[in-house]
Amino acid sequence: MGARADGVLAGWSRGLAALLVVLAVALPAFAQPDSRANVWDAVANRAEERVDDPDTSTPVLEVLREQLVELRDEALSVQKAQDPVLADLNGRLKALGEPPADGSAEAPEIAARRAALNKQISDAQAPALEAQEALERANTLIEQIDRIVRGRFSAELMSRGPSPLLPATWVGAEEELRGRAIKAAKAVDAQIAEPTNQALAARRLPANILLLVTGIVVTVMLRRSVGRWIDRRASASHGGRAFGLLFALRNLLRIAVPVVAAGLLFAAFDLGVLFSQAPSGRLFELPLPIGLAIAAAWLASSLFSPSQATYRLVPYDDAEARQAARLTNLLGLLLAVATLFHDQVPRSDLSQGAQAAIAFPLVVLGSLGLWRAAGLIATLQSRLGIAPAHAQEVPGLTTSLAFLRVLVRVLRVFAVVAPLIGAAGYMAAASFLVFPSIATLGILGAGYVIYDLLCKVAYAFLGPSPAGDNAGLLPVVIGALVAAVALPLLALTWGARGSDLAEVWSTLNNGVTFGGIRVSAGVILTFAAVFALGIALTRLVQTIMRGTVLPRTRIDAGGRNAVLAGIGYIGFAGAALAAISAAGLDLSSLAIVAGALSVGIGFGLQNIVSNFVSGIILLVERPVKEGDWIEVGGYSGYVRGINVRSTEVETFDRASVILPNTSLIAGAVLNRTHKSMTGRLQLPLGVTYDADPKRVEAILLEIAESHPLVLQEPAPRVLFMELGPDSMNFELRCWLRDVNFHLSAKSDLNYEIMAAFHKAGIRVNYYGRDLPPSPSVPEPHDVAPAGGAAPAAA
């Protein structure tokens, strides 16, 4: 009995354990939508509390914004995941048809299936609607945070502090800075005197010194040896394609070697050890101010190259290049100091007077540098615009000159305004005008150097030398890529936040919805890629048909062109449909808009539509085809192309006439080569009454029959047209093998007729007047040999 009870209890316990396992697995699945919605609500509620609190700091708001962005992305992913499910369910419900509207009963099976589908649709819509609510709430909170942060930034720029020109400001700043310097020196001495720090430094110092010396020696030796090799090869290349690669390698060395050396230096002597017990332990570390100074030296060498004019990108002479390089280095050092100062201000908690006393000299020096930079840029502008006619020959030179002109004016205005408003106490606004302007000059200069390097490298591999004229669109593409990289940097320089750029990227990635269609960067790229692939395949099919298939058929040239044009139209439409399908665009929501547009097209674009339809008729019916000789609207020439809207006709003086397709369908057209190339030539002429008509007829027939272009069947004919008051009028009619040679054949016949008439003594009447008699042509037996009597008759 006890054993049986134990067995029952064991079975119950196993069943209970299995039930608990099932519940542990199933309950989270059932509670997942509610828990997800609860998490979204919790994040949004916490963000609303902090946003409503005016004391919330800007860094906290930025953290909340990142959380809201994550919430928004998660909600958007849920919404996207439910879209295909809802589309499938709605399609299945639509397949059942509309429910009976007249009150009649529906089949029980259909009614049950309809109810089940409606229940599934309702269940699938629940998470999508929750995600939509969370998405809207997150977007609203993100907009509020952005508005608050921008308002604080604007208020900071417009804030006014003590004037740096007041003596009291300098006296207070001097006392505060001296006290802080003494305090910092004591703290550093205390950290150095700490036994733990000394032991740590002693343990790390030998290895760091070894790594530092090895790294610097290797980098310096590499730069010297490779630099000398580059100079030798560049002087021997004489500006050929290899010069671009050598130029790029030289610039890479000039930026890579200082960066590596400085990074090793700061990694070896970790300054954080002096102030904390936790060294960074990084193998490479480069502070931003040091990087700015190195970048300024690289720009000075790359743009101006004071010692080697061969590598100089800006057309300055040696003196101007030295001045520009020196100014670039000074501005880079000034920007590095200003960056270090602005980074340390939030940590040091300096008073406004001390901040103004430190920032005002930097603003004044920066303004002087901007004024000098504007003068050098004005010199460059005047040098590039010496020959106004030359600006029309160089692509982009006019735009570059206009940009330099605007840049000079802006720099001079900032250089004058910044010290004035700084002296008035608006130090934040003055710094905002000066230091971002210096950074902008650096970004523009670096962008130009990178653009030139990429062009040289691309020319070295793909195209002609940089001195060639066949540049094509390659510089435009490279310039667009460099501009796409530089624009975010410029935006960050002038006050944009990283979250702003992330928002732009999120908008491009997730897309925007209008008219029920969500369009994003991925959708656009997919559409463009599939459409381009479809067009490329269409062109490939046309090439194969033109070069391989159609020449083996008996279709004439016009028919071949019609077939190729039809393939092009079908391929274009197919590529568009495939691109729309691949991009996932649902155009059904635009049906009403398309219906309204069709009415507008019917009225406003009826001429274009009629011309398009006429072009289709021309290609199918082929009353006119490419290569035909036609006469229409007072123009005569050959059809060179039948396009969607118009037809191109090339006249005999090589001028192109663009005719609407409707004029070839609705009007009268004379097509001389529609069904065959043969054509009749009519040659009227008149002779005087002393000529023998039969003799004239024989001469004309003989000349016509002997011409290679005249057909023997139908045979040439000579018609005696009339007896005029002063002449007998004849007309020679013959058929030519190729009517395109109508004029040349007529000219040949006229030459032959005139020669034969002269020989036969037949005179041609000229506007009712007899021409002077032709000199008689003596027969051979009438010509006496020189120095002798006439020969006896045979």
Side-chain angles (χ1 to χ4, degrees):
M1 187 71 180
R4 184 175 181 183
D6 292 339
V8 171
L9 290 175
W12 274 98
S13 57
R14 287 194 297 268
L16 181 60
L19 179 61
L20 292 176
V21 171
V22 171
L23 291 177
V25 174
L27 286 178
F30 287 110
Q32 185 176 2
D34 294 335
S35 63
R36 178 186 295 162
N38 292 334
V39 170
W40 291 346
D41 289 338
V43 173
N45 292 333
R46 185 170 60 253
E48 285 179 349
E49 293 176 0
R50 295 299 182 90
V51 168
D52 294 336
D53 186 3
D55 296 332
T56 304
S57 63
T58 300
V60 173
L61 290 178
E62 292 289 355
V63 172
L64 289 175
R65 191 187 188 283
E66 293 178 0
Q67 295 176 358
L68 289 172
V69 169
E70 294 177 359
L71 185 154
R72 182 183 62 184
D73 294 340
E74 184 180 355
L76 188 61
S77 63
V78 171
Q79 194 177 36
K80 288 181 178 179
Q82 293 301 114
D83 286 341
V85 177
L86 289 172
D88 177 64
L89 293 174
N90 287 321
R92 292 160 60 185
L93 181 62
K94 186 178 179 180
L96 296 179
E98 295 293 334
D102 54 357
S104 59
E106 191 176 21
E109 296 81 1
I110 301 298
R113 187 58 180 165
R114 189 186 305 277
L117 287 175
N118 285 325
K119 179 63 170 59
Q120 293 179 15
I121 291 174
S122 178
D123 294 340
Q125 283 178 343
L129 293 177
E130 291 178 352
Q132 180 65 29
E133 180 189 2
L135 185 64
E136 296 295 335
R137 193 176 181 186
N139 284 330
T140 302
L141 290 172
I142 288 173
E143 291 177 359
Q144 292 180 1
I145 292 175
D146 290 339
R147 186 164 55 250
I148 292 173
V149 173
R150 293 193 188 101
R152 291 179 178 179
F153 180 72
S154 301
E156 182 183 357
L157 289 181
M158 300 304 297
S159 62
R160 182 179 181 183
S163 173
L165 300 182
L166 297 177
T169 302
W170 290 93
V171 173
E174 189 271 338
E175 294 178 355
E176 181 179 357
L177 293 176
R178 185 174 64 249
R180 287 180 177 272
I182 294 173
K183 184 178 179 180
K186 292 180 178 180
V188 171
D189 291 339
Q191 290 290 340
I192 294 177
E194 183 71 24
T196 305
N197 290 341
Q198 292 180 356
L200 180 63
R203 186 171 62 252
R204 297 176 68 239
L205 186 60
N208 288 342
I209 292 179
L210 179 61
L211 289 176
L212 175 66
V213 172
T214 303
I216 292 179
V217 169
V218 170
T219 52
V220 171
M221 293 180 61
L222 179 65
R223 174 178 174 177
R224 285 188 177 182
S225 58
V226 177
R228 292 173 182 174
W229 177 81
I230 290 174
D231 291 337
R232 291 195 303 268
R233 294 295 303 270
S235 60
S237 64
H238 302 291
R241 292 188 178 183
F243 182 79
L245 298 177
L246 295 172
F247 193 93
L249 183 58
R250 177 181 180 272
N251 273 279
L252 181 62
L253 282 177
R254 286 187 173 272
I255 188 66
V257 172
V259 166
V260 171
L264 292 175
L265 174 64
F266 280 90
F269 299 96
D270 191 353
L271 299 181
V273 178
L274 298 177
F275 307 100
S276 65
Q277 299 295 327
S280 63
R282 287 179 292 214
L283 182 62
F284 185 85
E285 185 175 359
L286 184 66
L288 179 59
I290 302 300
L292 294 175
I294 294 174
W298 171 69
L299 278 179
S301 173
S302 300
L303 286 174
F304 311 112
S305 186
S307 58
Q308 292 177 303
T310 306
Y311 302 105
R312 190 174 301 161
L313 297 181
V314 181
Y316 283 151
D317 56 26
D318 292 341
E320 294 170 344
R322 286 191 294 270
Q323 296 177 11
R326 192 180 307 115
L327 178 63
T328 302
N329 286 315
L330 291 177
L331 289 178
L333 292 175
L334 183 63
L335 184 61
V337 173
T339 302
L340 180 62
F341 169 69
H342 287 291
D343 288 343
Q344 296 299 323
V345 164
R347 305 174 186 175
S348 59
D349 194 19
L350 290 174
S351 64
Q352 291 187 349
Q355 294 181 25
I358 297 175
F360 186 69
L362 298 178
V363 169
V364 173
L365 292 176
S367 299
L368 294 176
L370 291 180
W371 185 270
R372 181 54 183 158
L376 290 173
I377 296 174
T379 302
L380 174 63
Q381 174 193 345
S382 60
R383 183 159 298 173
L384 292 176
I386 290 177
H390 184 62
Q392 304 297 330
E393 300 174 2
V394 179
L397 182 57
T398 303
T399 305
S400 301
L401 291 175
F403 174 74
L404 293 178
R405 190 181 305 111
V406 173
L407 183 61
V408 168
R409 295 177 181 177
V410 171
L411 291 178
R412 286 177 175 171
V413 170
F414 285 2
V416 173
V417 173
L420 296 179
I421 63 176
Y426 297 96
M427 194 56 60
S431 300
F432 183 74
L433 293 180
V434 173
F435 300 114
S437 299
I438 296 175
T440 299
L441 291 178
I443 293 174
L444 293 178
Y448 180 69
V449 172
I450 295 173
Y451 165 78
D452 183 78
L453 288 178
L454 292 178
C455 286
K456 284 183 170 63
V457 173
Y459 282 129
F461 286 103
L462 303 177
S465 62
D469 296 330
N470 298 325
L473 291 177
L474 184 60
V476 178
V477 175
I478 295 176
L481 295 177
V482 174
V485 176
L487 285 177
L489 297 178
L490 291 174
L492 293 174
T493 301
W494 288 98
R497 298 171 295 147
S499 58
D500 295 332
L501 300 182
E503 188 69 20
V504 173
W505 174 253
S506 176
T507 303
L508 293 176
N509 189 28
N510 297 328
V512 294
T513 302
F514 57 93
I517 300 177
R518 180 176 294 275
V519 179
S520 63
V523 170
I524 295 175
L525 292 177
T526 302
F527 180 87
V530 175
F531 185 74
L533 180 61
I535 295 298
L537 291 177
T538 302
R539 295 288 183 264
L540 178 62
V541 173
Q542 287 180 321
T543 301
I544 295 174
M545 294 292 292
R546 183 186 297 110
T548 305
V549 178
L550 292 178
R552 300 175 183 271
T553 64
R554 297 182 180 180
I555 303 176
D556 56 7
R560 296 175 187 177
N561 293 327
V563 171
L564 294 175
I567 293 175
Y569 292 152
I570 295 174
F572 184 86
L577 294 177
I580 292 174
S581 176
L585 297 177
D586 184 12
L587 303 182
S588 60
S589 58
L590 297 180
I592 299 177
V593 179
L597 289 177
S598 62
V599 178
I601 291 174
F603 287 100
L605 302 178
Q606 55 183 346
N607 289 333
I608 297 178
V609 174
S610 61
N611 284 323
F612 175 76
V613 175
S614 299
I616 300 297
I617 294 174
L618 289 175
L619 292 176
V620 175
E621 187 179 341
R622 296 174 59 206
V624 174
K625 54 186 180 298
E626 291 189 23
D628 283 354
W629 175 9
I630 65 172
E631 294 181 9
V632 56
Y635 299 102
S636 178
Y638 293 104
V639 178
R640 294 307 184 194
I642 300 176
N643 302 315
V644 174
R645 190 197 63 84
S646 61
T647 297
E648 179 185 356
V649 177
E650 183 182 8
T651 62
F652 296 111
D653 54 358
R654 298 301 176 91
S656 294
V657 180
I658 308 301
L659 299 173
N661 289 332
T662 53
S663 63
L664 301 178
I665 296 298
V669 180
L670 174 61
N671 193 339
R672 294 186 177 273
T673 58
H674 177 46
K675 294 184 177 180
S676 66
M677 303 301 293
T678 61
R680 191 176 69 173
L681 173 63
Q682 299 175 228
L683 191 62
L685 65 140
V687 298
T688 56
Y689 276 96
D690 58 350
D692 182 4
K694 293 296 183 180
R695 178 61 174 165
V696 172
E697 179 185 15
I699 292 175
L700 294 178
L701 290 176
E702 181 183 359
I703 292 173
E705 292 172 353
S706 62
H707 197 280
L709 285 177
V710 176
L711 295 174
Q712 301 301 320
E713 183 63 35
R717 295 187 61 190
V718 177
L719 301 179
F720 198 154
M721 302 300 294
E722 65 174 346
L723 297 172
D726 299 311
S727 63
M728 296 181 293
N729 297 325
F730 296 84
E731 186 172 297
L732 173 62
R733 296 182 179 180
C734 55
W735 291 85
L736 301 180
R737 302 178 186 276
D738 193 344
V739 74
N740 292 300
F741 297 96
H742 178 273
L743 292 179
S744 60
K746 186 175 182 179
S747 175
D748 294 341
L749 292 176
N750 283 330
Y751 276 118
E752 295 293 335
I753 290 171
M754 290 303 297
F757 280 3
H758 275 285
K759 184 177 180 180
I762 299 175
R763 293 181 297 168
V764 178
N765 181 265
Y766 182 72
Y767 288 116
R769 292 174 296 157
D770 291 342
L771 293 179
S774 302
S776 59
V777 180
E779 296 294 335
H781 60 269
D782 293 334
V783 180

